[in-house]
Amino acid sequence: MSEQKNTYRSIFLWGDKKIRPLEEGVRALVKEQFGLTEADLDQKYLYSDDEVKLDIAPALSEKQLNELQTICGNENVKTDDYNRALHAHGYFFGELLKLRKESIETPPDVVVYPKDEQEIVQLLAFAEKEKLAITPVGGRSSVTRGVETPQGGISLDLSENLNRILEVNEINHTVTVEPGIMGPVLEKHLNKMGYTCGHFPQSFEYSTVGGWVAARGAGQASTGYGKIEDMVLAMHVVTPVGIIQTKDYPASAEAWDLNKTFIGSEGCLGIITQVTLKIRPYRPKNTASASFIFKDFETATLMMRKAMQSEIGVPHLFRISDPVETETAFRINGFVNSMSDKFLKTLGYKNNSRCLMFVSIEGDKNYTLLVKKRMKKLAKKHHGFYIGGSPTKKWLKQRYESAYMRDPLMDAGIMTDTVETAVPWDKLIPLWKAVRTYLESREKSYVMVHISHVYENGANLYFTFLSPMKKGDEVEDYRVYHQGLIDTIHENGGSLSHHHGIGRALAPWMENEMGSTAMGLMQAVKDHLDPKGILNPGNTLGLRSKI
Ligand SMILES: Cc1cc2nc3c(=O)[nH]c(=O)nc-3n(C[C@H](O)[C@H](O)[C@H](O)COP(=O)(O)OP(=O)(O)OC[C@H]3O[C@@H](n4cnc5c(N)ncnc54)[C@H](O)[C@@H]3O)c2cc1C
């Protein structure tokens, strides 16, 4: 079902803006867990299909608008309500709630779509002169309040005009792109030439290279290809005090790594205008897939750790669902009570304890087959039952679709959110248990957990939680629940984020997490590159800004 244009709803719906009705299995599960009826599920809670109308007019003079138009061209400067509302939010759950309540408190005054680096240089000079905030955005898929505009000002949209592939260097195995290019455009181009970028976040179809780098993300195949910080070789960053260009050396000992200063800088230090990424050969026919069932989460995790530490080859996709997530997948896919299910139970793979593991290995044919064989051997040693390659392939196929479940669940009044962390191996199981216990302490909650990015020294944990919203008090209720969740992760030795970044949502924990000396260093870098404090102000990353 396609949704109407120019409504609040058309802003917060994910991706292609088409609602996928909840699958029967999901409906049954939600009804059972939360004691809901069919009518409850079909309600249109905080549906928000009104046309966007903002109460706040752009706080810009005609002269200021004229200057912006002179820099970028009339057609690339927008002050209409819809475009300003569109650029006021990302996809943080609290933001979605506010949009559903048709409450846009601090939209940008103007949205501009620069066409090249020189225009960005001029825009930063203009923003400094006029003391205006300037917030870069790519796909606006931030889930950490990274693209909000609490100080209004300029939303600098890089996705419209700065989205070209500048060079594919087949000798060096690199691609150089402008920041606003979206995942599928880049990947399609590379695939045609026999390469892949290897970065596939769940938001792949609607996020940009600039956003991947600025928010320090990870894709589903990161165990093999690495996080985005492992892929960046060089970049251009336009700052208010000048342009910084790093070079595409394969390695360097020229003091500290400046790329790393800007990877994860979330628009606070400069505008990323060009990125050179590593590319790899694209050989999908060689991909080897394997799926296993383990008797419990602890044993599955142990096998995963051994695999990462034994130098037997590294899978690209490596993933374990905890018992609740496993049972949910089995139930939704009609596996529960099938012949295979009964057979597995007789072998001791009991429901509410067993765990699914997905593995896929890319690369040279002999390599992928060898690693798969070794994974099977190691899994067997840990009583992992091999169930073939199909479940992994099936999961990969529907990977981007599951993001669409959140909209119909929210329409039914159900809080649906995800939070992730990175944790060393020795703290992983205690953290998993502690966070689970916290999330389940809420009356009527349903919590699924998986590991999806794996390292020699630890892994991430990704929590998905569902719970009926507290009607009338949704925003504050969520804020308190989310705060307790991040506190629990922090107290149990997990990072504030593994791949979503910090934004404003996690900024309040930064000082405690980093320590005052480290925060002072980050602030000093910010103050040097952005002395007037115009870049993504309003506590992003926990940094102070002067405007
Ligand atoms: C359904 C869903 C699934 C997701 N799954 C994943 C996942 O699997 N892995 C993952 O890593 N993330 C995931 N995310 C989070 C988000 O998609 C990532 O953070 C992504 O990298 C953001 O890219 P973007 O182009 O949308 O950036 P935006 O959201 O537009 O911006 C993100 C941040 O980067 C800054 N920024 C953007 N472009 C530039 C630039 N050129 N120069 C300087 N700063 C810039 C912005 O100011 C902002 O602070 C998911 C989000 C959603 C909604």
Side-chain angles (χ1 to χ4, degrees):
M1 194 203 318
S2 214
E3 298 285 335
Q4 238 191 315
K5 282 189 178 149
N6 291 354
T7 60
Y8 291 90
R9 192 165 173 75
S10 69
I11 294 180
F12 62 71
L13 290 181
W14 175 241
D16 64 13
K17 313 290 175 188
K18 290 182 190 144
I19 281 278
R20 278 72 164 159
L22 286 176
E23 286 172 41
E24 271 319 303
V26 180
R27 284 179 80 89
L29 188 122
V30 170
K31 277 196 305 188
E32 183 188 302
Q33 286 299 317
F34 303 140
L36 301 177
T37 62
E38 285 289 325
D40 291 329
L41 283 184
D42 291 333
Q43 67 178 307
K44 292 183 166 182
Y45 190 66
L46 298 177
Y47 203 69
S48 327
D49 50 0
D50 296 322
E51 201 173 313
V52 172
K53 280 206 174 53
L54 297 180
D55 298 331
I56 313 153
L60 288 181
S61 65
E62 216 173 305
K63 184 169 170 278
Q64 287 173 319
L65 274 177
N66 284 343
E67 274 196 60
L68 285 171
Q69 286 166 345
T70 307
I71 298 171
C72 295
N74 289 7
E75 67 288 7
N76 292 314
V77 178
K78 304 232 162 104
T79 52
D80 60 287
D81 280 4
Y82 187 74
N83 268 297
R84 288 168 61 220
L86 192 65
H87 288 80
H89 293 279
Y91 283 82
F92 176 65
F93 183 74
E95 293 178 317
L96 299 179
L97 277 180
K98 286 189 178 175
L99 280 165
R100 280 181 176 262
K101 287 172 175 265
E102 304 189 354
S103 156
I104 298 182
E105 290 150 6
T106 57
D109 295 301
V110 59
V111 183
V112 297
Y113 303 89
K115 298 184 291 299
D116 57 39
E117 201 169 85
Q118 256 323 300
E119 288 186 3
I120 292 176
V121 172
Q122 291 179 56
L123 285 168
L124 291 191
F126 169 79
E128 274 206 321
K129 175 171 72 81
E130 302 295 327
K131 297 194 176 56
L132 285 172
I134 189 156
T135 303
V137 305
R140 287 175 285 102
S141 67
S142 164
V143 284
T144 57
R145 300 182 52 211
V147 296
E148 280 178 17
T149 49
Q151 258 87 314
I154 302 169
S155 180
L156 186 80
D157 192 326
L158 299 145
S159 67
E160 192 80 13
N161 297 322
L162 268 172
N163 51 22
R164 287 159 286 213
I165 294 173
L166 302 176
E167 187 197 11
V168 177
N169 187 321
E170 295 194 77
I171 297 177
N172 298 342
H173 271 199
T174 59
V175 61
T176 301
V177 296
E178 292 179 330
I181 189 165
M182 297 268 175
V185 181
L186 171 62
E187 193 59 22
K188 211 169 152 189
H189 185 90
L190 289 176
N191 289 173
K192 266 198 202 147
M193 296 181 70
Y195 299 100
T196 177
C197 166
H199 189 76
F200 306 103
Q202 197 192 25
S203 55
F204 173 74
E205 293 162 295
Y206 299 96
S207 58
T208 63
V209 169
W212 298 348
V213 175
R216 211 173 155 188
Q220 74 203 9
S222 78
T223 302
Y225 290 118
K227 286 186 80 205
I228 196 74
E229 61 241 55
D230 305 309
M231 300 175 182
V232 174
L233 271 184
M235 58 210 287
H236 286 201
V237 187
V238 179
T239 79
V241 292
I243 299 180
I244 293 183
Q245 295 185 14
T246 60
K247 309 227 175 87
D248 59 351
Y249 300 131
S252 161
E254 294 175 351
W256 61 79
D257 184 349
L258 279 184
N259 286 332
K260 294 263 160 78
T261 302
F262 295 102
I263 299 170
S265 61
E266 302 194 20
C268 293
L269 301 182
I271 314 297
I272 300 164
T273 52
Q274 197 170 298
V275 181
T276 300
L277 296 167
K278 297 175 193 173
I279 54 173
R280 272 55 173 244
Y282 176 61
R283 291 169 288 193
K285 285 206 178 103
N286 294 353
T287 300
S289 302
S291 328
F292 303 95
I293 298 186
F294 286 83
K295 290 190 173 164
D296 54 54
F297 191 57
E298 285 85 345
T299 318
T301 308
L302 177 66
M303 180 267 167
M304 186 178 244
R305 174 167 72 80
K306 293 277 180 204
M308 293 305 291
Q309 295 175 339
S310 305
E311 299 186 336
I312 57 172
V314 174
H316 290 71
L317 169 79
F318 206 7
R319 191 181 154 103
I320 305 172
S321 291
D322 87 341
V324 179
E325 191 171 283
T326 297
E327 235 37 60
T328 309
F330 282 172
R331 201 175 149 171
I332 292 171
N333 289 302
F335 179 79
V336 172
N337 290 330
S338 64
M339 290 295 284
S340 311
D341 181 26
K342 286 177 188 155
F343 173 64
L344 273 174
K345 281 181 190 149
T346 62
L347 294 178
Y349 297 90
K350 305 240 160 59
N351 45 346
N352 300 320
S353 171
R354 60 194 176 184
C355 289
L356 258 175
M357 176 186 281
F358 295 146
V359 177
S360 84
I361 309 121
E362 300 178 24
D364 172 76
K365 186 93 188 154
N366 291 331
Y367 173 78
T368 61
L369 291 177
L370 177 67
V371 177
K372 177 173 167 176
K373 197 169 147 198
R374 287 167 160 184
M375 289 290 151
K376 282 173 79 174
K377 196 171 163 198
L378 191 62
K380 196 169 174 193
K381 199 171 154 198
H382 292 82
H383 310 291
F385 190 83
Y386 179 62
I387 52 169
S390 307
T392 299
K393 287 183 199 154
K394 193 174 166 197
W395 180 85
L396 276 166
K397 255 193 183 158
Q398 58 73 58
R399 154 86 172 146
Y400 301 125
E401 281 299 301
S402 53
Y404 288 92
M405 286 228 286
R406 188 191 228 186
D407 295 319
L409 284 167
M410 284 185 76
D411 284 346
I414 295 166
M415 176 199 291
T416 315
D417 199 18
T418 61
V419 157
E420 41 77 48
T421 181
V423 59
W425 287 119
D426 61 354
K427 295 194 175 104
L428 189 140
I429 296 294
L431 189 144
W432 167 64
K433 286 184 180 162
V435 176
R436 235 188 192 294
T437 304
Y438 169 77
L439 286 169
E440 285 172 347
S441 67
R442 181 183 168 98
E443 198 195 351
K444 293 190 180 171
S445 59
Y446 193 73
V447 183
M448 295 170 281
V449 190
H450 61 252
I451 298 174
S452 45
H453 307 275
V454 197
Y455 308 88
E456 276 175 82
N457 316 101
N460 81 315
L461 278 169
Y462 190 98
F463 300 89
T464 304
F465 49 97
L466 273 59
S467 181
M469 292 183 205
K470 194 169 170 189
K471 298 197 172 157
D473 192 25
E474 302 84 1
V475 174
E476 180 59 10
D477 175 46
Y478 170 76
R479 192 194 63 74
V480 173
Y481 191 42
H482 179 259
Q483 181 172 319
L485 167 58
I486 305 301
D487 284 344
T488 310
I489 290 176
H490 198 211
E491 282 154 17
N492 284 276
S495 68
L496 292 181
S497 172
H498 167 268
H499 58 265
H500 284 164
I502 297 294
R504 295 174 180 84
L506 299 171
W509 285 265
M510 278 293 275
E511 177 91 25
N512 199 358
E513 167 71 3
M514 310 293 283
S516 58
T517 309
M519 279 311 285
L521 171 66
M522 286 170 59
Q523 186 68 50
V525 174
K526 162 92 178 157
D527 292 344
H528 172 71
L529 295 174
D530 179 23
K532 303 256 169 72
I534 55 167
L535 287 168
N536 207 357
N539 202 31
T540 312
L541 296 179
L543 296 173
R544 291 184 307 277
S545 277
K546 286 174 191 148
I547 66 161

